[in-house]
Amino acid sequence: MREKKRKRGRKPKVSTDEETASKDDVVSIPTIADTSNPDSQGRQPKKSKRKENSEATDSDPKWEEENVVKVVPSMDAVVKVFCVHTEPNFSLPWQRKRQYSSSSSGFIVGGRRVLTNAHSVEHHTQVKLKKRGSDTKYLATVLAIGTECDIALLTVSDDEFWEGVSPVEFGDLPALQDAVTVVGYPIGGDTISVTSGVVSRMEILSYVHGSTELLGLQIDAAINSGNSGGPAFNDKGKCVGIAFQSLKHEDVENIGYVIPTPVIQHFMKDYEKNGAYTGFPILGVEWQKMENPDLRMSMGMGPDQKGVRIRRIEPTALESNVLKPSDVILSFDGVSIANDGTVSFRHGERIGFSYLVSQKYTGDRALVKVLRNSKVLEFNIKLATHKRLIPAHIKGRPPSYYIIAGFVFTAVSVPYLRSEYGKDYEFDAPVKLLEKHLHAMAQSVDEQLVVVSQVLVSDINIGYEEIVNTQVIAFNGKPVMNLKGLASMVESCKDEYLKFDLEYQQIVVLKSSTAKAATLDILTTHCIPSAMSDDLKT
């Protein structure tokens, strides 16, 4: 996996292995010297026939019994995933980027299905699977992609693919120091690869691909580019997780991350229950630790009460109707929450209480106990998924855009920021956009952050050429809530002028008749098929 040199003062990168290997990714294989005491001419001393016979009778049956029977069936279920990706071009949203190919790993589970990572098949145009020891690639169909949990579900219609393969069985959540074996097809060769290690940490992790926080396992087995989607087995040959990302930093070695079985089973059950992936629900609040004794006393908490204070509540969250800022959450579904926001997990372990929420399904209810004005209240809250103002994914849909007089309007998303400012967009994007990305909350479910992406230069827009990625606040005095609303207002406008209010009190004024007439010529010049994306036409 390529590693980008880190600038001073930045956090270490946690990266998925969807990147293909560069020319620098050359694996050197050292020469293995034989140290079994050769003679002066380099010949090996001969073993006695008795010893050879002894080894054949004592070792081989034991190997057959312990290793072949247990390990091979599990490894035979591991497949190589070949995907051709055609990503949208977010900077030029009317076209797509050049297609590229990638390879990763997956494994067969029950019900004629295959699990792999979501980032392994993102923006796929074709997916093929190849079994271990086979020379045939089988066309696969993507059934579901879980962006938050970075898991995808595939199937193959060809019956031949499923012959002679036993599906992988899932094991329980491993304990610390339990042995794990990661199996997959990483860079460095074409055949299956096995690396081993132990579980070194278990906590709520940041999932890079999904921009979410879910339960994860940290292991010290090597996870390299191509390992994505491969299973991690315990010492009994049962799957305890899916390899999905690793930590790349100059001060660390062999830190890999695995999606554990509770997250995998949640994804599978969600798909079976709803016929599609609906996501992981959240408690739509931002909270503050209550470790300071003076803070607890000021909130009216007794000496035996513990919890976390609600700072803000998502306006689009269902719980905004019952919970209030400065409520202290004491427990979730009967499980007490500590002042640092953790709950008891297993013997000697604590974990963030968001784990309890992530165990629920969209539409489930939970009993939340809060302290408000020194009174304990209980609310039965319906849980839903997160509505972000700047979404982490567009879930396979093409990006939306609208063009008038050379002004390209689009809605901001994380893939858009990454397209415009690169992988380090969190450092390089404008402060205004980052502030919205990190802290702003959507006021309604259909709200979007609409910007002027760029201006396609023409005589009609002289003087506006330098406007880039600037938010649109209002059109002709009316607030802009989303891109579809803006396109509708502009298209139906009967006023003499089109006036766009941008951030920092900047305005754009165009004469309606000449602006609409110039649009067609600009589209023709830049080979743009339509002035708006298909989703805005309906």
Side-chain angles (χ1 to χ4, degrees):
M1 186 190 303
R2 287 195 295 265
E3 179 183 354
K4 196 168 185 177
K5 192 170 182 181
R6 190 169 64 90
K7 295 182 183 178
R8 184 173 297 173
R10 293 188 178 175
K11 293 182 181 178
K13 283 283 184 185
V14 181
S15 61
T16 56
D17 30 354
E18 53 194 316
E19 300 177 15
T20 52
S22 68
K23 292 181 181 178
D24 297 328
D25 291 326
V26 178
V27 180
S28 58
I29 303 175
T31 304
I32 301 174
D34 195 333
T35 58
S36 56
N37 197 18
D39 62 16
S40 59
Q41 295 181 3
R43 296 190 299 266
Q44 298 294 325
K46 294 182 179 179
K47 294 181 182 179
S48 66
K49 290 184 178 179
R50 178 180 295 178
K51 190 169 184 180
E52 288 178 1
N53 293 338
S54 173
E55 286 179 350
T57 54
D58 293 347
S59 301
D60 292 353
K62 190 175 181 182
W63 171 259
E64 287 285 340
E65 181 183 347
E66 292 187 359
N67 295 283
V68 176
V69 174
K70 292 182 180 177
V71 178
V72 171
S74 299
M75 289 174 60
D76 283 348
V78 181
V79 299
K80 192 167 186 177
V81 180
F82 299 88
C83 184
V84 178
H85 310 257
T86 311
E87 294 183 350
N89 189 336
F90 289 89
S91 300
L92 303 171
W94 49 87
Q95 65 186 33
R96 287 183 173 263
K97 293 181 181 178
R98 186 186 184 98
Q99 68 181 26
Y100 68 94
S101 301
S102 73
S103 68
S104 55
S105 308
F107 58 99
I108 296 170
V109 295
R112 292 168 63 100
R113 292 174 295 189
V114 174
L115 283 179
T116 187
N117 280 143
H119 73 257
S120 298
V121 295
E122 188 180 31
H123 303 303
H124 63 278
T125 50
Q126 186 184 75
V127 181
K128 292 180 180 178
L129 305 179
K130 187 170 80 169
K131 294 193 293 183
R132 182 189 179 199
S134 171
D135 61 350
T136 306
K137 295 178 183 176
Y138 299 87
L139 279 173
T141 303
V142 178
L143 297 176
I145 294 181
T147 50
E148 290 92 344
C149 58
D150 200 3
I151 304 175
L153 194 64
L154 318 175
T155 190
V156 174
S157 57
D158 194 333
D159 294 334
E160 184 183 321
F161 176 82
W162 307 101
E163 291 176 2
V165 180
S166 300
V168 165
E169 294 182 7
F170 289 101
D172 296 329
L173 196 63
L176 295 179
Q177 290 190 317
D178 276 5
V180 289
T181 303
V182 178
V183 183
Y185 294 87
I187 59 169
D190 295 324
T191 57
I192 202 163
S193 168
V194 179
T195 54
S196 60
V198 297
V199 176
S200 52
R201 184 179 290 165
M202 187 181 307
E203 62 182 356
I204 300 296
L205 293 176
S206 176
Y207 281 40
V208 175
H209 178 74
S211 300
T212 50
E213 293 187 342
L214 295 169
L215 184 66
L217 302 180
Q218 178 183 311
I219 62 173
D220 63 357
I223 294 179
N224 296 307
S225 182
N227 263 127
S228 274
F233 294 112
N234 61 16
D235 54 4
K236 295 178 182 176
K238 292 192 175 182
C239 177
V240 294
I242 303 174
F244 76 119
Q245 63 190 32
S246 58
L247 184 64
K248 295 298 181 187
H249 184 249
E250 59 211 19
D251 296 332
V252 300
E253 291 181 4
N254 281 6
I255 292 185
Y257 296 105
V258 169
I259 304 168
T261 43
V263 178
I264 301 169
Q265 288 166 347
H266 187 288
F267 168 82
M268 300 278 284
K269 190 174 178 182
D270 182 18
Y271 174 78
E272 290 165 0
K273 184 178 175 183
N274 301 295
Y277 172 75
T278 63
F280 286 74
I282 62 150
L283 192 63
V285 301
E286 289 181 358
W287 52 270
Q288 175 185 355
K289 294 180 180 180
M290 296 288 288
E291 294 175 312
N292 185 277
D294 295 339
L295 177 61
R296 291 199 299 272
M297 192 176 295
S298 69
M299 299 295 293
M301 295 176 69
D304 58 337
Q305 288 179 320
K306 295 181 179 180
V308 293
R309 173 184 170 268
I310 295 177
R311 290 166 46 206
R312 296 196 299 168
I313 304 173
E314 295 270 5
T316 57
L318 299 174
E319 48 268 29
S320 63
N321 298 323
V322 289
L323 299 181
K324 295 181 179 179
S326 287
D327 282 354
V328 178
I329 305 176
L330 303 175
S331 68
F332 181 89
D333 253 4
V335 181
S336 298
I337 300 171
N339 292 322
D340 62 351
T342 62
V343 295
S344 295
F345 183 48
R346 298 191 300 194
H347 178 70
E349 295 180 72
R350 299 191 68 82
I351 199 166
F353 84 94
S354 62
Y355 169 72
L356 301 176
V357 186
S358 68
Q359 291 293 95
K360 297 282 188 176
Y361 295 87
T362 306
D364 283 359
R365 291 191 170 271
L367 189 66
V368 178
K369 185 184 290 186
V370 301
L371 182 71
R372 181 185 297 169
N373 300 326
S374 301
K375 294 181 180 178
V376 177
L377 304 174
E378 289 187 349
F379 298 105
N380 193 13
I381 294 173
K382 189 176 182 181
L383 299 173
T385 51
H386 194 185
K387 167 64 178 89
R388 287 194 174 108
L389 179 63
I390 297 182
H393 289 271
I394 59 170
K395 299 185 177 177
R397 296 186 298 268
S400 301
Y401 71 91
Y402 174 66
I403 301 173
I404 182 75
F407 286 81
V408 181
F409 298 95
T410 190
V412 178
S413 62
V414 170
Y416 175 79
L417 293 175
R418 193 178 289 117
S419 173
E420 288 285 289
Y421 302 103
K423 290 180 181 177
D424 293 329
Y425 68 90
E426 291 181 324
F427 303 98
D428 299 333
V431 174
K432 270 276 189 180
L433 290 181
L434 287 178
E435 193 275 333
K436 294 274 174 52
H437 168 49
L438 296 172
H439 302 294
M441 292 180 171
Q443 300 300 309
S444 62
V445 291
D446 59 349
E447 183 180 358
Q448 293 176 316
L449 183 66
V450 180
V451 295
V452 178
S453 170
Q454 61 175 312
V455 179
L456 304 173
V457 176
S458 175
D459 294 344
I460 188 71
N461 51 47
I462 289 175
Y464 299 131
E465 301 94 334
E466 296 180 359
I467 299 176
V468 176
N469 290 333
T470 306
Q471 185 182 356
V472 184
I473 307 296
F475 171 73
N476 283 4
K478 297 178 182 178
V480 174
M481 294 301 296
N482 52 53
L483 188 59
K484 190 168 186 175
L486 173 65
S488 177
M489 287 191 291
V490 175
E491 289 295 305
S492 60
C493 180
K494 304 297 183 184
D495 297 348
E496 184 179 359
Y497 292 100
L498 307 176
K499 181 184 177 184
F500 300 91
D501 291 297
L502 311 182
E503 60 185 354
Y504 303 117
Q505 285 73 51
Q506 188 175 8
I507 62 169
V508 169
V509 178
L510 300 165
K511 196 167 184 179
S512 298
S513 56
T514 54
K516 292 181 179 180
T519 300
L520 189 58
D521 290 337
I522 294 171
L523 295 179
T524 304
T525 301
H526 293 272
C527 303
I528 302 172
S530 174
M532 65 177 74
S533 53
D534 291 340
D535 60 317
L536 301 183
K537 296 175 182 177
T538 54

